[in-house]
Coordinates of all heavy atoms in Angstrom, one line a residue:
M1 N 42.0 -33.7 -17.8 CA 42.1 -35.1 -18.3 C 40.7 -35.4 -18.9 O 39.7 -35.1 -18.4 CB 42.3 -36.0 -17.1 CG 42.3 -37.5 -17.4 SD 42.6 -38.5 -16.0 CE 43.9 -39.5 -16.6
G2 N 40.7 -36.0 -20.1 CA 39.5 -36.3 -20.8 C 38.8 -37.5 -20.2 O 39.4 -38.4 -19.5
Q3 N 37.5 -37.6 -20.5 CA 36.7 -38.6 -19.9 C 36.7 -39.8 -20.9 O 36.5 -39.6 -22.1 CB 35.3 -38.1 -19.7 CG 34.4 -39.2 -19.1 CD 33.0 -38.6 -18.8 OE1 32.7 -37.5 -19.2 NE2 32.1 -39.4 -18.2
F4 N 36.9 -41.0 -20.4 CA 36.8 -42.2 -21.3 C 35.4 -42.5 -21.6 O 34.5 -42.6 -20.8 CB 37.5 -43.4 -20.6 CG 37.6 -44.6 -21.4 CD1 38.5 -44.7 -22.4 CD2 36.8 -45.7 -21.2 CE1 38.6 -45.8 -23.2 CE2 36.8 -46.8 -22.0 CZ 37.8 -46.9 -23.0
V5 N 35.1 -42.7 -22.9 CA 33.8 -43.0 -23.4 C 33.8 -44.6 -23.7 O 34.5 -45.1 -24.5 CB 33.5 -42.3 -24.7 CG1 32.1 -42.7 -25.2 CG2 33.5 -40.8 -24.4
W6 N 32.9 -45.2 -22.9 CA 32.8 -46.7 -23.0 C 32.1 -47.1 -24.3 O 32.4 -48.2 -24.9 CB 32.0 -47.3 -21.8 CG 32.8 -47.2 -20.6 CD1 32.8 -46.2 -19.6 CD2 33.8 -48.1 -20.2 NE1 33.7 -46.5 -18.6 CE2 34.4 -47.7 -19.0 CE3 34.4 -49.3 -20.8 CZ2 35.4 -48.3 -18.3 CZ3 35.4 -50.0 -20.1 CH2 35.8 -49.5 -18.9
E7 N 31.2 -46.3 -24.8 CA 30.4 -46.6 -26.0 C 30.0 -45.3 -26.7 O 29.8 -44.3 -26.1 CB 29.2 -47.5 -25.7 CG 28.3 -46.9 -24.7 CD 27.3 -48.0 -24.2 OE1 27.4 -49.2 -24.6 OE2 26.6 -47.7 -23.3
T8 N 29.8 -45.4 -28.0 CA 29.4 -44.3 -28.8 C 27.9 -44.1 -28.6 O 27.2 -45.0 -28.1 CB 29.7 -44.4 -30.3 OG1 28.9 -45.5 -30.8 CG2 31.2 -44.7 -30.5
A9 N 27.4 -42.9 -29.0 CA 26.0 -42.7 -28.9 C 25.2 -43.7 -29.8 O 24.1 -44.2 -29.4 CB 25.7 -41.2 -29.4
E10 N 25.8 -44.0 -30.9 CA 25.1 -45.0 -31.8 C 25.1 -46.4 -31.2 O 24.1 -47.1 -31.3 CB 25.9 -45.1 -33.2 CG 25.7 -43.9 -34.0 CD 26.7 -42.7 -33.6 OE1 27.6 -42.9 -32.8 OE2 26.4 -41.6 -34.0
E11 N 26.1 -46.8 -30.5 CA 26.1 -48.1 -29.8 C 25.1 -48.1 -28.6 O 24.4 -49.1 -28.4 CB 27.5 -48.4 -29.2 CG 28.5 -48.7 -30.3 CD 30.0 -48.7 -29.8 OE1 30.3 -48.0 -28.8 OE2 30.8 -49.4 -30.4
L12 N 25.0 -47.0 -27.9 CA 24.0 -46.9 -26.9 C 22.6 -47.0 -27.4 O 21.7 -47.7 -26.9 CB 24.2 -45.6 -26.1 CG 23.3 -45.4 -24.8 CD1 23.4 -46.6 -23.9 CD2 23.7 -44.1 -24.1
D13 N 22.4 -46.2 -28.5 CA 21.1 -46.3 -29.2 C 20.7 -47.8 -29.6 O 19.6 -48.2 -29.4 CB 21.0 -45.4 -30.5 CG 21.1 -44.0 -30.2 OD1 20.8 -43.6 -29.0 OD2 21.3 -43.2 -31.1
Q14 N 21.7 -48.5 -30.1 CA 21.5 -49.9 -30.5 C 21.1 -50.7 -29.3 O 20.2 -51.6 -29.4 CB 22.7 -50.4 -31.2 CG 22.9 -50.0 -32.6 CD 21.8 -50.6 -33.5 OE1 21.4 -51.7 -33.4 NE2 21.3 -49.8 -34.5
K15 N 21.8 -50.5 -28.2 CA 21.5 -51.3 -27.0 C 20.1 -51.0 -26.5 O 19.4 -51.9 -26.0 CB 22.5 -51.0 -25.9 CG 23.8 -51.7 -26.2 CD 24.8 -51.4 -25.1 CE 26.2 -52.1 -25.4 NZ 27.2 -51.8 -24.4
I16 N 19.7 -49.8 -26.5 CA 18.3 -49.4 -26.1 C 17.3 -50.1 -27.0 O 16.3 -50.7 -26.6 CB 18.1 -47.9 -26.0 CG1 19.0 -47.3 -24.9 CG2 16.6 -47.5 -25.9 CD1 19.1 -45.8 -24.9
A17 N 17.5 -50.0 -28.3 CA 16.6 -50.6 -29.3 C 16.6 -52.1 -29.1 O 15.5 -52.7 -29.2 CB 17.1 -50.3 -30.7
Q18 N 17.7 -52.7 -28.9 CA 17.7 -54.2 -28.6 C 16.9 -54.5 -27.4 O 16.2 -55.5 -27.4 CB 19.1 -54.7 -28.5 CG 19.2 -56.2 -28.3 CD 20.7 -56.6 -28.2 OE1 21.6 -55.8 -28.1 NE2 20.9 -57.9 -28.3
R19 N 17.1 -53.7 -26.3 CA 16.3 -54.0 -25.1 C 14.8 -53.9 -25.3 O 14.1 -54.7 -24.8 CB 16.8 -53.0 -24.0 CG 16.2 -53.3 -22.7 CD 16.7 -54.5 -22.0 NE 16.1 -54.7 -20.7 CZ 15.5 -55.8 -20.3 NH1 15.6 -56.9 -21.0 NH2 15.0 -55.9 -19.1
V20 N 14.4 -52.8 -26.0 CA 13.0 -52.7 -26.3 C 12.5 -53.8 -27.2 O 11.4 -54.4 -26.9 CB 12.7 -51.3 -27.0 CG1 11.3 -51.2 -27.5 CG2 13.0 -50.2 -26.0
R21 N 13.2 -54.2 -28.2 CA 12.8 -55.3 -29.0 C 12.7 -56.6 -28.2 O 11.7 -57.4 -28.3 CB 13.9 -55.5 -30.1 CG 13.5 -56.7 -31.1 CD 14.5 -56.8 -32.3 NE 15.9 -56.9 -31.8 CZ 16.8 -56.0 -32.0 NH1 16.5 -54.9 -32.7 NH2 18.0 -56.1 -31.6
N22 N 13.6 -56.9 -27.3 CA 13.6 -58.1 -26.4 C 12.3 -58.0 -25.5 O 11.7 -59.1 -25.4 CB 14.8 -58.2 -25.6 CG 16.0 -58.6 -26.4 OD1 15.9 -59.0 -27.5 ND2 17.2 -58.4 -25.8
I23 N 12.0 -56.9 -25.0 CA 10.8 -56.8 -24.1 C 9.6 -57.0 -25.0 O 8.7 -57.7 -24.6 CB 10.8 -55.4 -23.4 CG1 11.9 -55.3 -22.4 CG2 9.4 -55.1 -22.8 CD1 12.2 -53.9 -21.9
R24 N 9.5 -56.4 -26.2 CA 8.4 -56.6 -27.0 C 8.2 -58.1 -27.4 O 7.1 -58.6 -27.3 CB 8.6 -55.8 -28.3 CG 7.4 -56.0 -29.4 CD 7.7 -55.3 -30.7 NE 8.9 -55.7 -31.4 CZ 9.0 -56.9 -32.1 NH1 8.0 -57.7 -32.1 NH2 10.1 -57.2 -32.7
R25 N 9.3 -58.7 -27.7 CA 9.2 -60.1 -28.1 C 8.8 -61.0 -26.9 O 8.0 -61.9 -27.0 CB 10.5 -60.6 -28.6 CG 10.7 -60.1 -30.0 CD 12.1 -60.6 -30.5 NE 12.3 -60.2 -31.9 CZ 13.5 -60.4 -32.5 NH1 14.5 -60.9 -31.9 NH2 13.6 -60.0 -33.8
R26 N 9.4 -60.7 -25.7 CA 9.1 -61.4 -24.5 C 7.6 -61.3 -24.1 O 7.0 -62.3 -23.6 CB 9.9 -60.8 -23.4 CG 9.9 -61.6 -22.1 CD 10.8 -61.0 -21.0 NE 10.3 -59.8 -20.5 CZ 11.0 -58.8 -20.0 NH1 12.3 -58.9 -19.9 NH2 10.5 -57.7 -19.6
R27 N 7.0 -60.2 -24.5 CA 5.6 -60.0 -24.2 C 4.7 -60.5 -25.4 O 3.5 -60.2 -25.4 CB 5.3 -58.6 -23.9 CG 6.0 -58.2 -22.6 CD 5.8 -56.8 -22.2 NE 6.5 -56.5 -20.9 CZ 6.6 -55.3 -20.4 NH1 6.0 -54.3 -20.9 NH2 7.3 -55.2 -19.3
S28 N 5.3 -61.1 -26.4 CA 4.6 -61.6 -27.6 C 3.8 -60.5 -28.3 O 2.6 -60.7 -28.6 CB 3.7 -62.8 -27.2 OG 4.4 -63.8 -26.6
I29 N 4.4 -59.4 -28.4 CA 3.8 -58.2 -29.2 C 4.5 -58.1 -30.5 O 5.7 -58.0 -30.5 CB 3.9 -56.9 -28.3 CG1 3.2 -57.1 -27.0 CG2 3.3 -55.8 -29.1 CD1 3.4 -55.9 -26.0
S30 N 3.7 -58.1 -31.6 CA 4.3 -57.9 -32.9 C 4.7 -56.5 -33.1 O 4.2 -55.6 -32.4 CB 3.3 -58.4 -34.0 OG 2.3 -57.5 -34.0
Q31 N 5.5 -56.2 -34.1 CA 5.9 -54.8 -34.4 C 4.6 -54.1 -34.8 O 4.4 -52.9 -34.5 CB 6.9 -54.8 -35.5 CG 8.3 -55.2 -35.1 CD 9.3 -55.1 -36.3 OE1 8.9 -55.4 -37.4 NE2 10.5 -54.8 -35.9
E32 N 3.7 -54.7 -35.6 CA 2.5 -54.1 -36.0 C 1.6 -53.7 -34.8 O 1.0 -52.7 -34.7 CB 1.7 -55.1 -36.9 CG 2.4 -55.3 -38.3 CD 3.5 -56.4 -38.2 OE1 3.7 -57.0 -37.1 OE2 4.1 -56.6 -39.3
K33 N 1.5 -54.7 -33.8 CA 0.7 -54.4 -32.6 C 1.3 -53.3 -31.8 O 0.6 -52.4 -31.3 CB 0.6 -55.7 -31.8 CG -0.2 -55.5 -30.5 CD -1.6 -55.3 -30.8 CE -2.4 -55.3 -29.4 NZ -3.8 -54.9 -29.6
L34 N 2.6 -53.2 -31.7 CA 3.3 -52.2 -31.0 C 3.1 -50.8 -31.6 O 2.8 -49.8 -31.0 CB 4.8 -52.4 -30.8 CG 5.6 -51.3 -30.1 CD1 5.0 -51.1 -28.7 CD2 7.1 -51.7 -30.0
A35 N 3.1 -50.8 -33.0 CA 2.8 -49.6 -33.7 C 1.4 -49.1 -33.4 O 1.2 -47.9 -33.1 CB 3.0 -49.8 -35.2
S36 N 0.5 -50.0 -33.4 CA -0.9 -49.7 -33.1 C -1.1 -49.2 -31.7 O -1.8 -48.2 -31.4 CB -1.8 -50.9 -33.4 OG -3.1 -50.6 -33.0
M37 N -0.5 -49.9 -30.7 CA -0.6 -49.6 -29.3 C 0.0 -48.2 -29.0 O -0.5 -47.5 -28.1 CB 0.1 -50.6 -28.5 CG -0.5 -52.0 -28.4 SD 0.6 -53.2 -27.7 CE 0.9 -52.5 -26.1
S38 N 1.1 -47.9 -29.7 CA 1.8 -46.6 -29.3 C 1.5 -45.4 -30.2 O 1.8 -44.3 -29.8 CB 3.3 -46.9 -29.5 OG 3.7 -47.2 -30.8
G39 N 0.9 -45.7 -31.3 CA 0.6 -44.6 -32.2 C 1.8 -44.2 -33.1 O 1.8 -43.1 -33.7
V40 N 2.8 -45.0 -33.0 CA 4.0 -44.8 -33.8 C 3.9 -45.6 -35.1 O 3.4 -46.7 -35.0 CB 5.3 -45.2 -33.0 CG1 6.5 -45.1 -33.8 CG2 5.4 -44.3 -31.7
S41 N 4.3 -45.1 -36.2 CA 4.2 -45.8 -37.5 C 5.0 -47.1 -37.4 O 6.0 -47.2 -36.7 CB 4.7 -45.0 -38.6 OG 6.1 -44.9 -38.7
L42 N 4.5 -48.1 -38.2 CA 5.2 -49.4 -38.3 C 6.6 -49.2 -38.8 O 7.6 -49.8 -38.3 CB 4.4 -50.3 -39.2 CG 5.0 -51.7 -39.4 CD1 5.3 -52.4 -38.1 CD2 4.2 -52.5 -40.4
G43 N 6.8 -48.3 -39.8 CA 8.1 -48.0 -40.3 C 9.0 -47.5 -39.2 O 10.2 -47.9 -39.2
A44 N 8.5 -46.6 -38.4 CA 9.4 -46.1 -37.3 C 9.8 -47.1 -36.3 O 10.9 -47.2 -35.8 CB 8.7 -44.9 -36.6
V45 N 8.8 -48.0 -36.0 CA 9.1 -49.1 -35.1 C 10.2 -50.0 -35.7 O 11.2 -50.4 -35.0 CB 7.9 -50.0 -34.7 CG1 8.2 -51.3 -34.0 CG2 6.9 -49.1 -33.9
K46 N 10.1 -50.4 -36.9 CA 11.0 -51.2 -37.6 C 12.4 -50.5 -37.7 O 13.4 -51.2 -37.4 CB 10.6 -51.6 -39.0 CG 9.4 -52.6 -39.0 CD 9.0 -52.9 -40.5 CE 7.9 -54.0 -40.5 NZ 7.6 -54.4 -41.8
R47 N 12.4 -49.3 -38.0 CA 13.7 -48.5 -38.1 C 14.4 -48.4 -36.8 O 15.6 -48.6 -36.7 CB 13.4 -47.1 -38.7 CG 14.5 -46.3 -39.0 CD 14.2 -45.0 -39.8 NE 13.0 -44.3 -39.3 CZ 11.8 -44.4 -39.9 NH1 11.6 -45.1 -41.0 NH2 10.8 -43.7 -39.4
F48 N 13.6 -48.2 -35.7 CA 14.1 -48.2 -34.4 C 14.8 -49.5 -34.0 O 15.9 -49.5 -33.5 CB 13.1 -47.8 -33.4 CG 13.5 -47.9 -31.9 CD1 14.6 -47.2 -31.5 CD2 12.7 -48.6 -31.0 CE1 15.0 -47.3 -30.2 CE2 13.1 -48.7 -29.7 CZ 14.2 -48.0 -29.3
E49 N 14.1 -50.6 -34.3 CA 14.6 -51.9 -33.9 C 15.8 -52.3 -34.7 O 16.6 -53.1 -34.2 CB 13.5 -52.9 -33.9 CG 12.5 -52.8 -32.8 CD 11.6 -54.0 -32.7 OE1 11.7 -55.0 -33.4 OE2 10.7 -53.9 -31.8
T50 N 16.0 -51.8 -35.9 CA 17.1 -52.2 -36.7 C 18.3 -51.2 -36.6 O 19.4 -51.6 -36.6 CB 16.7 -52.3 -38.2 OG1 16.2 -51.1 -38.7 CG2 15.8 -53.5 -38.4
S51 N 18.0 -49.9 -36.5 CA 19.1 -48.9 -36.5 C 19.2 -48.2 -35.2 O 20.2 -47.5 -35.0 CB 18.8 -47.9 -37.6 OG 17.7 -47.1 -37.3
G52 N 18.2 -48.3 -34.3 CA 18.3 -47.5 -33.1 C 17.8 -46.1 -33.2 O 17.8 -45.3 -32.3
Q53 N 17.5 -45.7 -34.4 CA 17.1 -44.3 -34.7 C 15.6 -44.1 -34.4 O 14.8 -44.8 -35.0 CB 17.4 -43.9 -36.1 CG 18.9 -43.9 -36.4 CD 19.2 -43.6 -37.8 OE1 18.3 -43.5 -38.7 NE2 20.5 -43.4 -38.1
I54 N 15.3 -43.1 -33.6 CA 13.9 -42.8 -33.3 C 13.8 -41.4 -32.7 O 14.8 -41.0 -32.0 CB 13.3 -43.9 -32.3 CG1 11.8 -43.8 -32.3 CG2 13.9 -43.8 -31.0 CD1 11.1 -45.0 -31.6
S55 N 12.7 -40.8 -32.8 CA 12.5 -39.5 -32.2 C 12.2 -39.7 -30.7 O 11.7 -40.8 -30.3 CB 11.4 -38.7 -32.8 OG 10.1 -39.3 -32.5
L56 N 12.5 -38.8 -29.9 CA 12.2 -38.9 -28.4 C 10.7 -39.1 -28.2 O 10.4 -39.9 -27.3 CB 12.7 -37.6 -27.7 CG 12.6 -37.7 -26.2 CD1 13.3 -38.9 -25.6 CD2 13.2 -36.4 -25.6
I57 N 9.9 -38.4 -28.9 CA 8.4 -38.6 -28.7 C 8.0 -40.0 -29.0 O 7.2 -40.6 -28.3 CB 7.6 -37.5 -29.4 CG1 6.1 -37.5 -29.0 CG2 7.7 -37.6 -30.9 CD1 5.8 -37.0 -27.7
S58 N 8.6 -40.6 -30.1 CA 8.2 -41.9 -30.4 C 8.7 -42.9 -29.4 O 8.0 -43.9 -29.1 CB 8.8 -42.3 -31.8 OG 8.2 -41.5 -32.8
L59 N 9.9 -42.7 -28.9 CA 10.5 -43.6 -27.9 C 9.6 -43.5 -26.6 O 9.3 -44.5 -26.0 CB 11.9 -43.2 -27.5 CG 12.6 -44.0 -26.4 CD1 12.6 -45.5 -26.8 CD2 13.9 -43.5 -26.1
T60 N 9.1 -42.3 -26.3 CA 8.2 -42.1 -25.1 C 6.9 -42.9 -25.3 O 6.4 -43.6 -24.4 CB 8.0 -40.6 -24.9 OG1 9.2 -40.0 -24.6 CG2 7.1 -40.4 -23.7
R61 N 6.4 -42.8 -26.5 CA 5.1 -43.5 -26.8 C 5.3 -45.0 -26.8 O 4.4 -45.7 -26.2 CB 4.6 -43.0 -28.2 CG 4.1 -41.6 -28.2 CD 3.6 -41.2 -29.6 NE 3.1 -39.9 -29.5 CZ 2.9 -39.1 -30.6 NH1 3.2 -39.6 -31.8 NH2 2.4 -37.9 -30.5
I62 N 6.4 -45.5 -27.2 CA 6.7 -46.9 -27.2 C 6.8 -47.3 -25.7 O 6.3 -48.4 -25.3 CB 7.9 -47.3 -28.1 CG1 7.5 -47.2 -29.5 CG2 8.4 -48.7 -27.7 CD1 8.7 -47.3 -30.5
A63 N 7.6 -46.6 -25.0 CA 7.7 -46.9 -23.5 C 6.4 -47.0 -22.8 O 6.2 -47.9 -22.0 CB 8.7 -45.9 -22.9
I64 N 5.5 -46.0 -23.1 CA 4.2 -46.0 -22.5 C 3.4 -47.3 -22.9 O 2.8 -47.9 -22.1 CB 3.5 -44.7 -22.8 CG1 4.1 -43.5 -22.0 CG2 2.0 -44.8 -22.4 CD1 3.6 -42.2 -22.5
A65 N 3.5 -47.6 -24.2 CA 2.7 -48.7 -24.7 C 3.2 -50.0 -24.1 O 2.4 -51.0 -23.8 CB 2.8 -48.8 -26.2
L66 N 4.5 -50.1 -23.8 CA 5.1 -51.3 -23.2 C 5.1 -51.3 -21.7 O 5.7 -52.1 -21.0 CB 6.5 -51.5 -23.7 CG 6.7 -51.9 -25.2 CD1 8.1 -51.9 -25.6 CD2 6.0 -53.2 -25.5
D67 N 4.4 -50.3 -21.1 CA 4.4 -50.1 -19.7 C 5.7 -49.9 -19.0 O 6.1 -50.5 -18.0 CB 3.6 -51.3 -19.0 CG 3.1 -50.9 -17.6 OD1 2.9 -49.7 -17.3 OD2 3.0 -51.9 -16.8
L68 N 6.6 -49.1 -19.7 CA 7.9 -48.8 -19.3 C 8.1 -47.3 -19.0 O 9.3 -46.9 -18.9 CB 8.9 -49.3 -20.3 CG 8.9 -50.8 -20.7 CD1 9.8 -51.0 -21.9 CD2 9.4 -51.6 -19.5
A69 N 7.0 -46.6 -18.8 CA 7.1 -45.2 -18.6 C 7.9 -44.8 -17.4 O 8.7 -43.8 -17.4 CB 5.7 -44.5 -18.5
D70 N 7.8 -45.6 -16.3 CA 8.5 -45.3 -15.1 C 10.0 -45.4 -15.3 O 10.8 -44.6 -14.8 CB 8.2 -46.3 -13.9 CG 6.8 -45.9 -13.3 OD1 6.3 -44.8 -13.5 OD2 6.2 -46.8 -12.7
E71 N 10.5 -46.4 -16.1 CA 11.9 -46.6 -16.4 C 12.4 -45.3 -17.2 O 13.5 -44.8 -16.9 CB 12.2 -47.8 -17.2 CG 12.1 -49.1 -16.3 CD 10.7 -49.6 -16.0 OE1 9.7 -48.9 -16.5 OE2 10.5 -50.6 -15.3
L72 N 11.6 -44.9 -18.1 CA 12.0 -43.7 -18.9 C 12.0 -42.5 -18.0 O 12.9 -41.7 -18.1 CB 11.1 -43.5 -20.1 CG 11.5 -42.5 -21.1 CD1 12.8 -42.9 -21.7 CD2 10.4 -42.5 -22.2
R73 N 11.0 -42.3 -17.2 CA 10.9 -41.2 -16.3 C 12.0 -41.1 -15.3 O 12.5 -40.0 -15.0 CB 9.5 -41.3 -15.5 CG 9.2 -40.1 -14.7 CD 7.9 -40.2 -14.0 NE 6.7 -40.4 -14.9 CZ 6.1 -41.5 -15.1 NH1 6.4 -42.6 -14.4 NH2 5.1 -41.6 -15.9
N74 N 12.5 -42.2 -14.9 CA 13.6 -42.3 -13.9 C 15.0 -42.3 -14.5 O 15.9 -42.4 -13.8 CB 13.4 -43.5 -13.0 CG 12.1 -43.5 -12.2 OD1 11.7 -42.4 -11.8 ND2 11.5 -44.6 -11.9
L75 N 15.0 -42.2 -15.8 CA 16.3 -42.3 -16.5 C 17.4 -41.4 -15.9 O 18.5 -41.8 -15.7 CB 16.1 -41.9 -18.0 CG 17.3 -42.1 -18.9 CD1 17.8 -43.5 -18.9 CD2 17.0 -41.7 -20.3
F76 N 17.1 -40.2 -15.5 CA 18.1 -39.3 -15.0 C 17.9 -38.9 -13.5 O 18.5 -38.0 -13.0 CB 18.1 -38.0 -15.8 CG 18.6 -38.2 -17.2 CD1 17.7 -38.2 -18.3 CD2 19.9 -38.5 -17.5 CE1 18.1 -38.4 -19.6 CE2 20.3 -38.7 -18.8 CZ 19.4 -38.7 -19.9
M77 N 16.9 -39.6 -12.9 CA 16.6 -39.3 -11.5 C 17.8 -39.7 -10.5 O 18.0 -39.0 -9.6 CB 15.3 -40.1 -11.1 CG 14.1 -39.6 -11.9 SD 13.8 -37.9 -11.7 CE 13.1 -37.8 -10.1
Q78 N 18.5 -40.7 -10.8 CA 19.6 -41.2 -10.0 C 20.9 -40.8 -10.5 O 21.9 -41.5 -10.2 CB 19.5 -42.7 -9.8 CG 18.1 -43.2 -9.2 CD 18.0 -42.6 -7.8 OE1 18.9 -42.5 -7.0 NE2 16.7 -42.3 -7.4
A79 N 21.0 -39.8 -11.3 CA 22.3 -39.4 -11.9 C 23.3 -38.9 -10.8 O 23.0 -38.1 -10.0 CB 22.1 -38.2 -12.8
P80 N 24.4 -39.6 -10.7 CA 25.4 -39.3 -9.6 C 26.0 -37.9 -9.9 O 26.2 -37.5 -11.0 CB 26.4 -40.4 -9.7 CG 26.3 -40.9 -11.1 CD 24.9 -40.7 -11.5
Y81 N 26.5 -37.3 -8.8 CA 27.2 -36.0 -8.9 C 28.6 -36.3 -9.4 O 29.2 -37.3 -9.0 CB 27.2 -35.3 -7.6 CG 25.9 -34.8 -7.1 CD1 25.2 -35.5 -6.1 CD2 25.3 -33.7 -7.7 CE1 24.0 -35.1 -5.7 CE2 24.1 -33.3 -7.2 CZ 23.4 -34.0 -6.2 OH 22.2 -33.5 -5.8
K82 N 29.1 -35.5 -10.3 CA 30.5 -35.7 -10.8 C 31.5 -35.1 -9.8 O 32.6 -35.6 -9.8 CB 30.6 -35.0 -12.2 CG 29.8 -35.7 -13.3 CD 30.0 -35.0 -14.6 CE 31.4 -35.2 -15.1 NZ 31.5 -34.7 -16.5
D83 N 31.1 -34.0 -9.2 CA 32.0 -33.4 -8.2 C 31.2 -32.5 -7.3 O 30.0 -32.3 -7.4 CB 33.1 -32.6 -8.9 CG 32.5 -31.6 -9.9 OD1 31.5 -30.9 -9.6 OD2 33.1 -31.4 -11.0
I84 N 31.9 -31.9 -6.3 CA 31.2 -31.1 -5.3 C 30.6 -29.8 -5.9 O 29.6 -29.3 -5.4 CB 32.2 -30.8 -4.1 CG1 31.4 -30.1 -2.9 CG2 33.3 -29.8 -4.6 CD1 30.4 -31.0 -2.3
Q85 N 31.2 -29.4 -7.0 CA 30.7 -28.2 -7.6 C 29.2 -28.4 -8.1 O 28.4 -27.5 -8.1 CB 31.6 -27.7 -8.7 CG 31.2 -26.3 -9.3 CD 31.3 -25.2 -8.2 OE1 32.3 -25.1 -7.5 NE2 30.2 -24.4 -8.1
E86 N 29.0 -29.6 -8.6 CA 27.6 -29.9 -9.1 C 26.6 -29.8 -7.9 O 25.5 -29.4 -8.1 CB 27.5 -31.3 -9.7 CG 28.0 -31.3 -11.1 CD 27.7 -32.6 -11.8 OE1 26.8 -33.3 -11.3 OE2 28.3 -32.9 -12.9
V87 N 27.0 -30.3 -6.8 CA 26.1 -30.2 -5.6 C 25.8 -28.8 -5.2 O 24.7 -28.4 -5.0 CB 26.8 -30.9 -4.4 CG1 25.9 -30.8 -3.2 CG2 27.0 -32.4 -4.7
I88 N 26.9 -27.9 -5.3 CA 26.7 -26.5 -5.0 C 25.8 -25.8 -6.0 O 24.9 -25.1 -5.7 CB 28.1 -25.8 -4.9 CG1 28.9 -26.4 -3.7 CG2 28.0 -24.3 -4.8 CD1 30.4 -26.0 -3.7
N89 N 26.1 -26.1 -7.3 CA 25.3 -25.5 -8.4 C 23.8 -25.9 -8.3 O 22.9 -25.1 -8.6 CB 25.8 -25.9 -9.7 CG 27.2 -25.3 -10.0 OD1 27.6 -24.4 -9.3 ND2 27.9 -25.9 -10.9
E90 N 23.5 -27.1 -7.9 CA 22.1 -27.6 -7.8 C 21.4 -26.9 -6.7 O 20.2 -26.7 -6.8 CB 22.1 -29.1 -7.6 CG 20.7 -29.7 -7.6 CD 20.6 -31.1 -7.5 OE1 21.0 -31.7 -6.4 OE2 20.2 -31.8 -8.5
R91 N 22.0 -26.5 -5.7 CA 21.4 -25.9 -4.5 C 21.1 -24.4 -4.7 O 20.5 -23.8 -3.9 CB 22.2 -26.1 -3.3 CG 22.2 -27.6 -2.9 CD 23.0 -27.9 -1.7 NE 23.2 -29.3 -1.5 CZ 22.4 -30.1 -0.8 NH1 21.4 -29.6 -0.1 NH2 22.6 -31.4 -0.7
R92 N 21.6 -23.8 -5.8 CA 21.4 -22.4 -6.1 C 20.0 -22.2 -6.6 O 19.4 -22.8 -7.3 CB 22.4 -21.9 -7.1 CG 23.8 -21.8 -6.5 CD 24.7 -21.2 -7.5 NE 26.1 -21.3 -6.9 CZ 27.1 -21.1 -7.6 NH1 27.1 -20.8 -8.9 NH2 28.3 -21.1 -7.0

């Protein structure tokens, strides 16, 4: 049986970009300031916030600049097991 996909990769990227943009705005940080703080080009910040496209290293730098490194670090820490075989495989 196939797995139902709730959203596409592009939709998920857009949601992440929107969340980062909201956090940036909530903290009154301009795109220019975020680019300076993170070492990511202004164009990359703008592209990320509009299209969701960004390299993993740039996303990591932005997360660190916004003091969100723990959230990024913990992204897969609480991943649930899909079945008992995953538990067995992990213990090998």
